[in-house]
Amino acid sequence: MSTNREDGGSRRQGGAAFLLAQLGAHAAARFAEGIAELDLTPAQAGVLRLLARTPGRSQRELADELGMPPSRFVPFADKLEERGLIERRRNPGDRRLYALHLTDEGVTLLSALGEVAAAHEQRMCQALTPDEHEQLRALLARMAAQQGLSPGVHPGYRQVRPDRVHRPREPHSPEESRTPDQGGND
Amino acid sequence: MSTNREDGGSRRQGGAAFLLAQLGAHAAARFAEGIAELDLTPAQAGVLRLLARTPGRSQRELADELGMPPSRFVPFADKLEERGLIERRRNPGDRRLYALHLTDEGVTLLSALGEVAAAHEQRMCQALTPDEHEQLRALLARMAAQQGLSPGVHPGYRQVRPDRVHRPREPHSPEESRTPDQGGND
DNA sequence: TATTGTTATACTCTATAACTATA
DNA sequence: TATAGTTATAGAGTATAACAATA
């Protein structure tokens, strides 16, 4: 047992680590909802951001960084290429590997994505004052660095599909009324 | 240590929401590693904790709270019952539903789980002073409450298997003081 | 008829590994 | 021979829906 005072409220909500996992999953799910309006998944948003920072990376590199096997990266990149967001260029020096680049359309979408991210940031931190918000960011950044997390990527990118939303008890949200009757017998 | 703080660095790491998702996934993965030594998955640990707080709940209730369909909860509970951690008792009032209870063995394991959680808490917050640690916990608790998250559960419990660990930059491992022993099995 | 628990089935997602083309 | 990219396939995990018992 820990020597910290774990009575009362702190025990019921769990420690910082639990709250981190809980809020982190929540944040990821809400972000996925937000970018779904751009028809993007978290993994897709992640690779766009990676390519914006370092263009010309090979599929192998990106797959490795995102934590997905190369075999899964191929159809993943295919979709982005079909949508005209990224572009495969042959590397003259080594014709085995592609160099991936953002298209102009990809850059445009990336900026829209930035707006979504900003709105998401505000919504997540509604409960905090601007001062606390910055305080929190600083604490988290320090923790992430100490834990050896590389900036810009997180394990959720492994998943192709965004997290399903879990709503145990929703205080304020329009229910997506899913018709209990499928509308026909089948 | 010399932490050269540069404005670019904070922006490169993303905002608080991104760090939350990143650290949250990391915390969940590390916690899963920790309880794997007790042969428990996060979802199993979650239901044990729920039963400790409110014994006698029905499978339906628990499945709903954990975010898994009842059909999946059945084999999930089966395993815990086979291991002697929980117990199904018939409800005399309504014979349709079971009342789930922790066994003595379940209570014992739960306390071992508490120790793992405490160690996990400390490891996650290594970078913080005790004061900052408490500060962070308070901020997160406030955010979780405002976001309508119910205490004690998080969406990660939906998954049966724990998150795979994502190590984008394993080769160097710059300042990770992590023993390669724990959780070596991926 | 509605609800709890259960079982069955079909479907999706995934990793592994074979295959090609370049080096 | 080794590596980047690709394709094929078998396996795991999942939700949906049908079912039996009880209310």
Side-chain angles (χ1 to χ4, degrees):
Chain A
M1 305 288 251
S2 85
T3 55
N4 290 348
R5 47 188 189 135
E6 51 190 1
D7 54 321
S10 77
R11 180 159 177 89
R12 258 189 59 183
Q13 291 229 338
F18 180 86
L19 285 164
L20 224 44
Q22 189 185 33
L23 274 165
H26 178 74
R30 286 302 174 93
F31 181 69
E33 285 180 5
I35 63 176
E37 298 174 11
L38 303 175
D39 199 18
L40 284 179
T41 66
Q44 289 173 329
V47 77
L48 291 185
R49 207 156 23 156
L50 285 177
L51 281 180
R53 191 194 306 164
T54 313
R57 307 245 268 156
S58 73
Q59 297 190 174
R60 177 74 172 198
E61 273 181 314
L62 291 167
D64 204 44
E65 184 139 343
L66 265 65
M68 57 171 69
S71 63
R72 192 140 71 91
F73 188 89
V74 173
F76 175 75
D78 284 346
K79 228 175 225 170
L80 293 174
E81 193 180 30
E82 289 167 11
R83 289 177 57 183
L85 301 176
I86 68 170
E87 181 177 45
R88 284 178 166 111
R89 299 185 196 162
R90 277 291 176 192
N91 189 328
D94 189 337
R95 296 170 67 88
R96 286 176 304 182
L97 38 75
Y98 283 118
L100 299 194
H101 291 266
L102 286 182
T103 63
D104 291 347
E105 205 172 336
V107 173
T108 300
L109 187 58
L110 193 68
S111 83
L113 201 149
E115 295 176 23
V116 171
H120 173 61
E121 175 82 8
Q122 295 306 316
R123 210 177 315 134
M124 281 297 301
C125 297
Q126 271 179 335
L128 308 182
T129 68
D131 215 38
E132 290 171 331
H133 187 159
E134 175 55 26
Q135 211 171 11
L136 174 69
R137 204 192 52 69
L139 289 176
L140 295 179
R142 194 134 53 84
M143 292 175 67
Q146 189 271 326
Q147 294 287 319
L149 299 178
S150 56
V153 193
H154 70 76
Y157 291 168
R158 294 183 58 100
Q159 300 171 354
V160 166
R161 287 200 322 179
D163 282 341
R164 298 286 287 274
V165 194
H166 180 217
R167 309 188 193 279
R169 40 193 67 150
E170 190 104 38
H172 59 289
S173 177
E175 328 269 320
E176 1 180 316
S177 57
R178 189 155 299 202
T179 42
D181 187 346
Q182 256 69 2
N185 54 353
D186 182 351
Chain B
M1 64 173 80
S2 64
T3 52
N4 38 347
R5 59 197 195 95
E6 44 188 18
D7 299 10
S10 66
R11 186 155 314 179
R12 260 184 49 192
Q13 293 227 338
F18 180 87
L19 285 164
L20 225 43
Q22 189 184 33
L23 274 165
H26 178 73
R30 286 301 175 92
F31 180 69
E33 285 179 6
I35 62 176
E37 297 174 11
L38 303 175
D39 200 17
L40 284 179
T41 66
Q44 290 174 327
V47 77
L48 292 185
R49 205 155 27 154
L50 284 177
L51 282 180
R53 190 194 309 164
T54 312
R57 307 245 268 156
S58 73
Q59 298 190 172
R60 177 74 172 198
E61 273 181 315
L62 290 168
D64 203 43
E65 185 139 346
L66 264 64
M68 57 170 69
S71 63
R72 192 140 71 89
F73 189 88
V74 172
F76 176 74
D78 285 346
K79 227 175 225 170
L80 293 174
E81 194 181 30
E82 289 168 12
R83 289 176 58 182
L85 301 176
I86 68 170
E87 183 176 45
R88 284 179 166 109
R89 298 186 197 158
R90 277 291 176 193
N91 188 328
D94 189 338
R95 296 168 69 88
R96 287 175 304 181
L97 38 76
Y98 283 119
L100 298 193
H101 291 265
L102 286 181
T103 63
D104 291 347
E105 205 172 337
V107 173
T108 301
L109 187 58
L110 192 67
S111 84
L113 201 149
E115 296 176 20
V116 171
H120 173 61
E121 175 83 8
Q122 294 306 316
R123 208 177 317 134
M124 281 297 300
C125 298
Q126 271 179 336
L128 308 181
T129 68
D131 214 39
E132 290 169 332
H133 187 158
E134 175 55 27
Q135 210 171 11
L136 174 69
R137 203 192 54 69
L139 290 176
L140 295 179
R142 193 135 53 84
M143 291 175 68
Q146 188 272 326
Q147 293 287 318
L149 299 178
S150 55
V153 194
H154 71 75
Y157 292 166
R158 293 184 57 101
Q159 301 172 354
V160 168
R161 288 200 321 179
D163 281 343
R164 301 285 289 273
V165 193
H166 181 216
R167 308 193 194 282
R169 313 243 164 101
E170 185 102 55
H172 305 308
S173 195
E175 300 174 24
E176 274 183 315
S177 60
R178 183 175 51 82
T179 55
D181 182 4
Q182 44 186 338
N185 178 8
D186 169 33

